Amino acid sequence: MTPTRAGSTSSTKKDPEKDQQTTTEAGSGNNTHNFDALPPVPMKAFAKLPGWKALRSMRTAIWLLLALAIATFIPTWVPQRITNQTKVQEFAEDHPSWFQAFDRLRLFDVFDSWWYIGIYGTLLFVLVNCLVPRTRNFFRQQKQAFATPRERKQFPSLPCHVEMQVPLSPEETVSLLKKTLRSHRFRQGNLNTRGQWVAEKGHLREGGSLVFHWSFFVLLLGMFFTRAFGFEGQVLLVEGEHWVDAPVNYDYYNPGRFFGPEDHRGFEIAHDSFEVRFFENGGPADFVSTVRVFDDTNNNAQGEKSQVLQKEIRVNNPLDYRGMKFYQISWGWAIRVTIDDQNGKPLFDDWVPLFPGGARNTWTGVVKLPSLSPQVGMELFFFPDALLLGEEEAADLRGDFAGGENLLIRLFARPGPPTIGDAVLLAGEYAGDLGQNTLFQTVYDLRTENMEGPLEYGLARLSNTGYRFADGLSLHAPEIRHYSVLRVKRDPGLWTVLIAAVLLMFGLTASLYISRRRLWVWVRPVEPDPSDTNTATAASGTDTKETAAPRTPPPNHNSTPSQSGEKPTATATESTTMSPASPLSQRNDVLSQQHATEAAAPRTPQTMVTLGGLAYQRKDAFETEFTRLVKDLQAKLRSNQAHGNNT
Amino acid sequence: MSLLTFSDISFWTAITAYSLTVLATFGHLAWKTKNWQRVSAICAGSGLTAHLLSLGAIALALERAPWGSLYEFLSAVSALLMIVTVSQVLPKPELTSITGVLTGVAVMLMGIGALLYAEPTDLQPALQSGWLAIHVFLAIVGSGSLLSAATVSFLYLRRLRYDEQTQKNLTDRRADSPITTATASAIPSEAPAFTASVPDHTFHRSLVTEGNASSVLLSRSLSAAAGKEAGTALLEKNQRDTIDPTKENTDNKQHTKEAVNAHKTRLPSAKRLDTLAHRLVTFSFPIWTLAVLMGAVWGEQAWGRYWGWDPKETMSFIIWVLFAGYLHARATRGWKGKRSAVLACWGGGAILFNFLFVNLVISGLHSYSGF
């Protein structure tokens, strides 16, 4: 991911064209004006192993990125256990043989599979391999790039180039230049004995790129924290229920590897009410669970818990208490079902959560009576607002409640937002073996493989009439309430992930939008030229645009400062010479002469300033920036000169 | 008239205006007259105004961001595409062909949106958040501009292919042409190949009367012909590296074929297209990144996790990886140019797949009102 640093031959600066090309293209090499030039880092022994080079190359990284994209695409076609367990189950039932093969390839857990981890693991390895030397170079450059440049007799040819003569002493010029460059936010190094120094801007491009790439490791670290020390669960709370934070009280429980039962806080939550509101068009508008939290605030062991807060948990507005977060995930109806035996002895009295999506718009739930023999299970269908269909309308729905009475077949739950109207509970009775110890099931499932049924359908109206089954069981549904499903989470890695995301964003922006540019400055006294008697006073700034224009490669060999030093520039207050020399500079001279007649006491130029600039990116934008810089410099020089005259 | 009715009317006005823009662009490509360009600019401008009014009316009527359903989302994405087109591409006459293609993509997206039309309504609880404005807006800007970058990359590939074909024709003809062999025997150098290409200039001259751009072609091709002493090998190399206008219209016999392929020669140079695509990706990649990150922050707040490999999340990650690959490829020797453009096209395909397939077929947490 770095430009190859190998083969940095020391060029002899005799060939300025080659000099420039290597700089602009590779940004490395031991060129005289290239400040990246650092002594090569000795190769470690392992770096000579075959294949090591491939693990450092951008090409490998691109292939790996491509492989990552393709691998990530698989879950679009194959259901994943982490997002859709039921679909995986369906797939297993529909295509058992394919399921075996797919599962062996871990296609149902792509993101935890060895090959997915392999792809991004290799990618991260390549990344580290590139980042370590790059980071080392970056810091080395911060120290060494601004070291005093080597003394040079000739100015290197650079894409942007300007030369001017200044009627100030070299010392004044240097301080003025340094000040101006600082105001343009260039970082500057020290002068060497010939009055040369370097200035740089935009090193944050590389820095940003490094931050961006390293931030992925911070991100992974945060994710690791979450996985190791975090915890995730789900609870279903019926209105009025009190719930204590303990592992057994969760409906779904998935702790991290280092999250133990002792990490639970043990506080208590009372679910007071749940409210769902609808828009006029039937769409849901708001889900609110009102809860109170009770905690042992005094920290006395087995102490009484007192109410610490009351909160309305909404979607987009979770409860955050002592590092545990509670999110509103889902809601539904819970119906209180009582079942008595033929003697009137209560067998079952509990809240049964109902889930939407049953036949004919019903909500479904399950009652299990394992204490009976044979065991009895009941499949519940709840009609929040029952409709009685006509015989013909109901005819094609006949299969839903097979064996039911004529009346049942015609029942239908009113579509639209669920509101309690003529609420009816229908229970299909099964008898046999519930298979609680043999078949996989949750409390919300009824496995009827070893059961007979439905033997009979019983119909109970809410808080009204019950039903007595043929075997003597009587069913009542006295009450209905809402339940609310909350996701409970502790995520100790969240802040690390957030920091990583911020770093990533800053790094990315910096690495894409900042461009790196360098200036090379040379301030020296003007060599007197006795042969020249002309007075050429430059009207500074008149041709800055041309001056700062980029030179077209191949650069003119004649455009070295030594050559321009020989040009007739004797008594100029401040002259700018173009490189390469063109008719424009002559025109400038003419202009300057006109200007000189108007100028009050012109001062002899004492100092020659040469400024060269190079941008590594966005070269066109740099040309305008360079022009602006030069204009500003000239303005500063002029005002300084005026100031000097006044005093 | 209610605001929502006004919004619908503006939406259809915009589609009509955009379609006219596409037609006018073709007119401009065919006849190269200024008037056609003016017509396309007026159509695109008025269409965009109507389009923005349509989105604004939804926002006003329901007091929320106008991207609450898939219809509104696609409408907003195409509005963004058109903003990019009108501000960046349309003012440059030499990029007319791109205007046409981008507007075409916008019309297509709006058409799909119209098929999925759902009357704008109030939002579900999960969408009732300030993050809707931020996350979905960034997603719109990011995917819209990434899609335009992918489109430009696709045009770049077409242009490259055209350049390669004409190059191949040139070399084939050089081998077959009896004139070439005849003159080659007379003059012992590689020069005859260029003597054979002299008749071009008559064709070029006929173009001069039609437009300014072709006069540039003429002068450049003349200068290239003048420099024929430079030698075939060198010129061939140049042609492979840079796009040389001499490759167009190399023979009178080929005119019919070139008339068919004319729209490709009207494309900007490959280098120009490549630069444009790169600029667009550089602009939109951080925005897409931010959209994904903001989505994660919102997901943390609404669903209790910042990343859960929901189908939409998975797809946006794939898009991100592909364009990250593009940015890296463009700075790598051997991947620069063609291969990186192919990566960008894949990225564009992933965006379309995300819009259409993931939204409509796959259900996930993002599946609210068509999202």
Side-chain angles (χ1 to χ4, degrees):
Chain A
M1 299 203 177
T2 45
T4 45
R5 213 157 272 282
S8 56
T9 50
S10 57
S11 72
T12 48
K13 76 174 165 130
K14 274 178 186 168
D15 186 357
E17 182 184 346
K18 193 183 164 193
D19 209 51
Q20 186 193 344
Q21 274 181 355
T22 42
T23 321
T24 46
E25 281 173 21
S28 67
N30 200 5
N31 301 315
T32 29
H33 65 277
N34 183 355
F35 315 105
D36 289 350
L38 300 171
V41 183
M43 267 172 112
K44 298 258 162 51
F46 58 79
K48 288 172 187 157
L49 289 170
W52 188 261
K53 209 174 163 189
L55 286 174
R56 266 196 68 174
S57 92
M58 186 90 105
R59 251 157 269 185
T60 319
I62 295 170
W63 280 116
L64 285 167
L65 278 174
L66 207 55
L68 188 69
I70 293 167
T72 314
F73 199 50
I74 292 172
T76 310
W77 305 104
V78 185
Q80 296 297 298
R81 288 213 169 88
I82 48 164
T83 48
N84 209 334
Q85 178 80 45
T86 37
K87 271 213 172 153
V88 178
Q89 214 65 44
E90 273 172 32
F91 189 94
E93 280 155 24
D94 294 351
H95 321 274
S97 52
W98 280 107
F99 181 80
Q100 285 269 310
F102 275 31
D103 205 27
R104 206 159 293 154
L105 286 169
R106 312 274 286 150
L107 287 182
F108 299 106
D109 319 83
V110 165
F111 302 111
D112 285 325
S113 68
W114 53 269
W115 46 271
Y116 195 81
I117 294 171
I119 292 171
Y120 76 67
T122 320
L123 191 62
L124 290 173
F125 184 74
V126 173
L127 192 56
V128 172
N129 245 338
C130 294
L131 281 181
V132 169
R134 264 177 76 181
T135 313
R136 195 168 46 203
N137 274 331
F138 180 75
F139 285 111
R140 263 155 44 108
Q141 264 178 30
Q142 299 313 303
K143 278 189 223 151
Q144 295 182 21
F146 301 106
T148 324
R150 188 159 56 82
E151 282 77 13
R152 314 186 61 189
K153 286 180 185 162
Q154 279 192 346
F155 203 77
S157 68
L158 291 168
C160 289
H161 188 95
V162 73
E163 206 158 81
M164 46 199 162
Q165 300 199 0
V166 182
L168 298 171
S169 72
E171 291 73 27
E172 284 175 299
T173 316
V174 167
S175 69
L176 194 83
L177 271 173
K178 284 216 149 185
K179 215 171 95 189
T180 316
L181 288 178
R182 207 176 306 128
S183 74
H184 280 255
R185 288 193 284 160
F186 274 94
R187 306 191 309 153
Q188 298 173 77
N190 298 324
L191 267 74
N192 66 12
T193 51
R194 292 184 86 98
Q196 301 160 335
W197 77 94
V198 294
E200 197 202 65
K201 210 172 164 177
H203 64 290
L204 281 181
R205 182 191 182 86
E206 176 70 359
S209 176
L210 291 172
V211 166
F212 171 73
H213 286 105
W214 279 120
S215 70
F216 286 105
F217 295 93
V218 184
L219 196 75
L220 284 174
L221 191 73
M223 287 173 166
F224 169 77
F225 275 152
T226 304
R227 272 210 164 180
F229 303 103
F231 146 83
E232 195 184 14
Q234 232 173 51
V235 287
L236 188 150
L237 301 178
V238 181
E239 282 173 304
E241 187 176 337
H242 280 247
W243 174 88
V244 176
D245 176 31
V248 287
N249 291 340
Y250 286 93
D251 292 295
Y252 162 75
Y253 189 69
N254 181 22
R257 180 157 294 179
F258 304 106
F259 187 91
E262 69 282 0
D263 292 317
H264 282 284
R265 313 290 197 199
F267 52 81
E268 189 179 326
I269 285 184
H271 181 213
D272 289 338
S273 73
F274 176 84
E275 200 188 344
V276 53
R277 276 196 292 269
F278 295 94
F279 291 119
E280 280 168 21
N281 63 13
D286 205 2
F287 307 122
V288 198
S289 302
T290 312
V291 296
R292 278 173 297 149
V293 181
F294 297 89
D295 202 358
D296 162 17
T297 42
N298 302 323
N299 248 344
N300 49 341
Q302 308 300 319
E304 279 169 29
K305 289 171 184 163
S306 53
Q307 182 180 334
V308 283
L309 63 93
Q310 182 170 25
K311 158 106 185 161
E312 293 186 340
I313 303 176
R314 289 186 151 88
V315 186
N316 277 313
N317 193 357
L319 160 72
D320 189 347
Y321 183 68
R322 286 177 70 187
M324 298 282 259
K325 281 187 173 175
F326 294 79
Y327 297 85
Q328 179 70 54
I329 289 296
S330 173
W331 71 281
W333 301 107
I335 194 159
R336 191 173 150 211
V337 176
T338 59
I339 297 173
D340 304 333
D341 65 6
Q342 56 265 57
N343 306 323
K345 197 183 113 204
L347 285 172
F348 184 93
D349 182 357
D350 205 354
W351 292 97
V352 179
L354 300 163
F355 301 95
R360 305 190 191 179
N361 276 340
T362 53
W363 294 61
T364 57
V366 166
V367 171
K368 295 179 193 176
L369 301 168
S371 56
L372 294 180
S373 133
Q375 293 179 322
V376 168
M378 283 190 191
E379 212 176 357
L380 304 182
F381 298 91
F382 178 65
F383 302 75
D385 192 4
L387 287 173
L388 208 55
L389 299 181
E391 287 282 352
E392 280 166 30
E393 284 175 293
D396 48 339
L397 299 169
R398 198 167 287 270
D400 288 341
F401 304 118
E405 285 172 41
N406 201 18
L407 182 69
L408 305 183
I409 294 161
R410 289 167 56 200
L411 272 181
F412 196 82
R414 193 188 296 278
T419 42
I420 299 295
D422 183 13
V424 169
L425 182 71
L426 187 66
E429 189 189 22
Y430 291 78
D433 178 17
L434 286 167
Q436 280 176 320
N437 301 321
T438 49
L439 294 165
F440 171 80
Q441 57 190 305
T442 67
V443 286
Y444 308 125
D445 294 326
L446 185 68
R447 301 291 296 261
T448 54
E449 280 92 336
N450 304 329
M451 303 187 89
E452 250 181 276
L455 301 171
E456 191 181 357
Y457 279 102
L459 188 146
R461 278 182 192 276
L462 187 68
S463 62
N464 198 342
T465 51
Y467 185 83
R468 198 176 177 92
F469 286 90
D471 55 8
L473 296 180
S474 63
L475 170 86
H476 286 271
E479 223 181 324
I480 191 148
R481 283 181 185 175
H482 283 116
Y483 70 81
S484 172
V485 180
L486 302 178
R487 181 198 290 264
V488 189
K489 206 185 75 169
R490 218 185 94 190
D491 190 346
L494 189 64
W495 282 99
T496 321
V497 171
L498 191 65
I499 289 167
V502 171
L503 286 178
L504 187 145
M505 210 47 232
F506 272 107
L508 179 64
T509 317
S511 70
L512 284 177
Y513 293 129
I514 293 177
S515 64
R516 183 166 161 235
R517 48 262 198 228
R518 284 178 169 272
L519 291 179
W520 212 81
V521 199
W522 189 5
V523 174
R524 61 201 181 284
V526 170
E527 294 160 28
D529 190 350
S531 66
D532 180 62
T533 47
N534 286 341
T535 44
T537 320
S540 56
T542 47
D543 65 337
T544 20
K545 185 133 182 76
E546 292 89 337
T547 319
R551 253 186 299 158
T552 46
N556 196 329
H557 213 328
N558 295 336
S559 62
T560 48
S562 56
Q563 201 267 344
S564 22
E566 289 156 24
K567 284 181 77 184
T569 45
T571 54
T573 39
E574 183 184 307
S575 91
T576 47
T577 44
M578 272 261 314
S579 61
S582 74
L584 272 167
S585 54
Q586 287 168 16
R587 194 200 56 175
N588 185 29
D589 283 352
V590 176
L591 273 171
S592 317
Q593 280 171 11
Q594 286 171 352
H595 190 78
T597 52
E598 293 156 23
R603 289 170 61 184
T604 328
Q606 302 169 3
T607 310
M608 170 79 90
V609 177
T610 314
L611 194 66
L614 174 72
Y616 293 79
Q617 294 88 21
R618 288 169 197 262
K619 290 170 179 134
D620 42 346
F622 180 63
E623 281 162 25
T624 34
E625 190 192 352
F626 189 79
T627 313
R628 220 172 33 237
L629 173 71
V630 170
K631 271 189 181 164
D632 187 35
L633 266 180
Q634 285 172 335
K636 289 263 168 59
L637 287 168
R638 222 174 309 145
S639 69
N640 194 285
Q641 179 195 342
H643 184 71
N645 283 346
N646 289 344
T647 49
Chain B
M1 185 172 68
S2 77
L3 274 170
L4 289 180
T5 324
F6 172 75
S7 161
D8 290 351
I9 294 171
S10 309
F11 179 83
W12 286 104
T13 316
I15 284 201
T16 318
Y18 291 161
S19 311
L20 290 177
T21 312
V22 177
L23 289 180
T25 332
F26 286 143
H28 177 63
L29 286 175
W31 291 289
K32 290 253 169 199
T33 54
K34 268 252 160 76
N35 276 342
W36 280 112
Q37 218 222 328
R38 228 167 273 154
V39 169
S40 76
I42 290 168
C43 285
S46 52
L48 183 59
T49 317
H51 200 165
L52 293 177
L53 281 175
S54 154
L55 291 173
I58 296 177
L60 256 176
L62 299 169
E63 292 174 358
R64 61 165 171 85
W67 37 77
S69 70
L70 189 57
Y71 155 72
E72 295 162 42
F73 178 77
L74 285 174
S75 171
V77 169
S78 35
L80 195 103
L81 259 178
M82 286 312 291
I83 290 173
V84 172
T85 313
V86 169
S87 63
Q88 297 297 312
V89 188
L90 196 83
K92 294 165 190 157
E94 71 275 17
L95 298 181
T96 310
S97 45
I98 302 184
T99 312
V101 175
L102 284 179
T103 315
V105 173
V107 169
M108 186 189 78
L109 288 181
M110 286 174 85
I112 295 165
L115 288 178
L116 306 170
Y117 178 79
E119 192 180 327
T121 54
D122 298 303
L123 294 172
Q124 300 194 21
L127 295 179
Q128 294 168 15
S129 165
W131 289 108
L132 177 74
I134 301 165
H135 166 64
V136 185
F137 176 72
L138 287 171
I140 287 167
V141 177
S143 48
S145 46
L146 280 179
L147 194 60
S148 55
T151 314
V152 173
S153 277
F154 179 73
L155 293 178
Y156 164 76
L157 287 177
R158 298 303 303 162
R159 173 77 208 209
L160 266 194
R161 198 181 151 81
Y162 175 77
D163 290 339
E164 271 162 22
Q165 272 175 356
T166 34
Q167 171 69 29
K168 196 166 158 276
N169 286 344
L170 189 75
T171 39
D172 286 356
R173 202 167 43 75
R174 192 182 298 154
D176 303 341
S177 167
I179 314 168
T180 313
T181 40
T183 26
S185 56
I187 310 162
S189 80
E190 298 267 4
F194 299 96
T195 348
S197 72
V198 168
D200 307 347
H201 304 311
T202 53
F203 182 74
H204 276 308
R205 223 159 272 139
S206 67
L207 276 178
V208 177
T209 53
E210 289 172 13
N212 299 336
S214 39
S215 70
V216 179
L217 286 184
L218 170 67
S219 58
R220 278 171 69 187
S221 77
L222 278 175
S223 63
K228 60 191 161 193
E229 297 83 9
T232 330
L234 186 65
L235 192 84
E236 264 184 356
K237 188 179 173 294
N238 285 345
Q239 281 171 339
R240 230 175 289 125
D241 294 343
T242 62
I243 307 313
D244 196 302
T246 45
K247 271 179 274 168
E248 297 166 16
N249 320 317
T250 39
D251 200 331
N252 284 322
K253 285 177 208 164
Q254 285 186 312
H255 283 177
T256 37
K257 196 186 167 191
E258 267 147 22
V260 176
N261 280 340
H263 69 281
K264 284 179 208 156
T265 62
R266 306 278 156 92
L267 285 175
S269 74
K271 191 167 186 292
R272 184 87 203 257
L273 288 167
D274 189 38
T275 317
L276 184 64
H278 181 241
R279 286 216 175 131
L280 282 169
V281 175
T282 316
F283 165 75
S284 40
F285 188 70
I287 294 178
W288 184 252
T289 313
L290 199 60
V292 173
L293 292 180
M294 290 297 157
V297 175
W298 190 10
E300 165 67 28
Q301 201 187 54
W303 302 325
R305 86 286 183 292
Y306 48 84
W307 196 265
W309 295 112
D310 179 70
K312 206 78 186 251
E313 288 169 343
T314 310
M315 228 32 235
S316 58
F317 177 69
I318 292 172
I319 294 166
W320 190 87
V321 166
L322 285 172
F323 280 99
Y326 168 83
L327 283 175
H328 284 100
R330 222 178 155 283
T332 308
R333 217 169 298 145
W335 278 82
K336 206 171 175 164
K338 205 172 181 174
R339 285 172 126 182
S340 60
V342 169
L343 270 182
C345 287
W346 281 32
I351 292 173
L352 286 180
F353 182 85
N354 191 19
F355 279 173
L356 305 177
F357 194 80
V358 174
N359 279 332
L360 300 180
V361 182
I362 301 171
S363 68
L365 283 172
H366 278 84
S367 323
Y368 322 95
S369 52
F371 257 113

